[in-house]
Amino acid sequence: MIRARGLTKQYGPKTAVDHADFTVVPGRVTGFLGPNGAGKSTTMRMILGLDRPTAGDVTVNGRHYREFAAPLHEVGALLDAKAVHGGRSAYNHLLCLAQSNGIPRRRVDEVIALVGLQTVAKKPSRGFSLGMGQRLGIAGALLGDPGILMFDEPVNGLDPEGILWIRTLMRRLASEGRTVFVSSHLMSEMAVTADHLVVIGRGRILADTGMRDFIDANATSHVRVRSPQLGELEPLLAARGWRVESDPDLSLRVYGAGSAQVGDIAADHAIRLHELGIVQPSLEEAFMQLTEDTVEYHAGLPEPETPPGTPPDAVPPGGGGRG
Amino acid sequence: MTAAAAPAPAAPVRKASFGNVLLSEWTKILTVKSTFWTLLAGAIIVIGFSALWALAFTTSYDQLSPADRATLEPTTPMQIAFYFGEVVFGVLGVLVITTEYGTGMIRTSLTAMPRRGHYLAAKALVLGGVVLVAGMVVSFASFFVSQAVLMAQDLNGSLGDKGVLRSVIGGGIYLALIAVMALGVGTLLRHTAGSVVAVFVILFILGIVGNFLPGRWGETVNKYLPSNAGAAILSPGTPGNSLSPWTGLGLFALYTAIVLVVALVLFERLDA
């Protein structure tokens, strides 16, 4: 269980995390969703005691992280797959971590087997691919068999096989009753992984709710209709008081109507339909609607590449290696 | 402190001792190649320079004035070699922490060992221990090799000569302190290049600047400079412009402690 109360982090004049309140509970995958630079990584670093909150408080199982003498038994975290000394072998890297928390050596072999790194375990990790680095980071997170797991953008840059592997792993960990807290800016990924969402934008928590509830609350379904006689159909639908929008591919989006109603109207007026169906809203739409105003760096705007005062987690993926 | 009750914690919070952290840091320092290479480089420079200087002295002995001949102490080659080689042991101290910052490993480390005081103390102890052993080997080797060369002109001394054994043992301690001070500098600055430059300035440049300071106060300041204070231990006697051996080394240890304490305070407060 992770609990944040009024958690705030300021870097100079810039507020990276702004009075965040949320709770992450066991037994489900909680997605931490937000655009790049929204404060996800900063929040995670504060949970792990790496960064000090400017105000507010965050606890893990009722304690501050820095009070734990052997935290790997409580929390396993993958913040940055590249946060290892490249000259050290994967095995020795995990051994250092295990020893610091009094974890026996055989557990190192276990987690290496668990993530499938046996063949490269004795090699320096600097030669690892991103996927292998991610697996090494996850092996480290699993060392102490912790009840809480945190992953920061775990699928970034992974190939489909790696993504599927991580997705399955996170679901399994949650089904074992563990707390799984995973951040991502990839809606599609969250939609298939997370049961619960904490949504952050510009440092503020915008939602802390179930996945289905979130989509229902923030986006509406619509009827998609395609016809060679759209010009005739559109005024008929609009006349019923429904909001109608036309798509460039010669289809209409009808909000507030059922597909049966639209089909009946077409039939009554002998209008041929080529397609008719309900479109369920996606997490993406819900998210876009919610965060419309909070996206930090809109594409296409003539922003300097790294605006002054950019929090470290605004660095684009792959631009890591920050001190 | 925290009143918030965790929902029925299944197992009590597990403990790890300072010994666990020490063991972890021990494994860390032994499992990167830079440790071995830096120590080897330091050894080659110190032992090599002392042999070279001894060779230069013996081969030109016949042309030297009696005054120059009289300046030779058994530890003189070692002292001169330390002057050039000690910085390398500082580089090791710097690398122990700055490579963690450079690679991001520091965040992984502090996630596993969030008690930063323990973490830095374990690093300092392990580093100090490793360099103390290596430094003793280097110091003794440097002494014996240079004496072997000086033997050609029958100029060699022995560990039994007054103050010599203390100088050679002190040399090993001095190298360990240099490494630990450099660890503090690296913790403060976090970047390898900047920290190496800072250590170089402290150990090398400051000493040169000190030599150019004018007058009586200049002399006084000069002997309190870190490298001059620390190097006092390398002389069998106490030259007039120097602190006494143990006072000098003690002062250097104090400087080291100050750097380390400042580093720890900031390390505790600042974001990793």
Side-chain angles (χ1 to χ4, degrees), chain A residues 190-192 194-197 209-216 283:
Chain A
M190 288 280 100
V192 293
D195 311 301
H196 192 88
L197 281 180
T209 167
M211 172 69 73
R212 196 67 252 166
D213 295 341
F214 177 73
I215 296 172
D216 290 345
L283 173 61

Side-chain angles (χ1 to χ4, degrees), chain A residues 4 31 40 51 71 74 86 88 159 163 230 233 251 271 285-286 288:
Chain A
K40 302 187 296 290
D51 288 10
E74 313 289 324
R88 203 172 274 127
D159 54 18
I163 292 175
L230 282 185
L233 184 58
S251 70
I271 291 170
E285 284 173 83
M288 286 306 177

Side-chain angles (χ1 to χ4, degrees), chain A residues 76 104 120 232 286 312:
Chain A
V120 293
E232 294 166 54

